[in-house]
Structures are given as structure tokens and as C-alpha cells.
Amino acid sequence: MTVVRLTEEQEAIAQSAMATGRYNGPQEVIDAALKLLKTREEQREAFLRSLDDARREGEEKGYVEIDEVAAELDAIIAEAEAKLAARSGH
């Protein structure tokens, strides 16, 4: 069994979590923290993969300038606003 030493701040966090009644002991707090860490690492890895995919796509298909993206978004917003105005009779 591994012994884990907590800092005073970590101990206070664990005690606070247990005081809520959601956790029956330090092991449950550590289990919850490790699950969150695992989820965060999975999300980080997925994000890094998406960046790699985007970089690869950009290299294959070319990049789009931010001004082009902004203009396209402005057009989409203007179209949506026009539709809303038409529905409300304005």
C-alpha cells in the first residue's frame, strides 16, 4: 500500500469535502480526485489530438485567414437576425 502525505492545504480540502457528507473518508476523496485527474488528462489528450488534426488539415487543404472567418460569422449572424426580425414583424 502506498502512503500519501498531504500538505496542510490538501488536508483541509479533504476534510472540507468529507464534512459535506458526500465522502466517507480520505480514500473516497482521493478516488474522486483521481477520477477527475483522469478525465482532465483524457480531455487534454483529445484537445491535443484535435490540434494535430487541425494542423494536418490546414497543411493539406490550406489555412483560412481570420478576416474570412469573421466575415462568414458576420454573415451568419446577420442572416439569423433578419430571420428573427421577419418572424416578429419588425
Side-chain angles (χ1 to χ4, degrees):
M1 173 180 225
T2 301
V3 175
V4 177
R5 298 197 191 286
L6 302 177
T7 65
E8 287 182 24
E9 181 183 9
Q10 292 167 334
E11 180 68 29
I13 292 168
Q15 290 296 330
S16 177
M18 289 183 292
T20 66
R22 290 186 54 213
Y23 303 94
N24 292 320
Q27 186 62 48
E28 286 187 13
V29 174
I30 291 170
D31 288 345
L34 290 174
K35 286 177 186 175
L36 285 172
L37 176 62
K38 180 179 182 237
T39 299
R40 180 176 173 211
E41 289 301 313
E42 289 169 350
Q43 290 171 340
R44 180 181 177 278
E45 289 172 13
F47 177 70
L48 291 175
R49 279 192 307 274
S50 73
L51 287 178
D52 287 340
D53 291 345
R55 185 178 305 112
R56 225 177 350 271
E57 182 180 340
E59 290 169 355
E60 292 170 4
K61 298 181 180 179
Y63 294 94
V64 178
E65 295 292 323
I66 190 67
D67 292 339
E68 293 175 61
V69 174
E72 186 175 335
L73 289 173
D74 287 343
I76 291 169
I77 292 168
E79 182 181 340
E81 288 173 341
K83 285 180 182 178
L84 283 173
R87 281 190 216 148
S88 64
H90 293 105

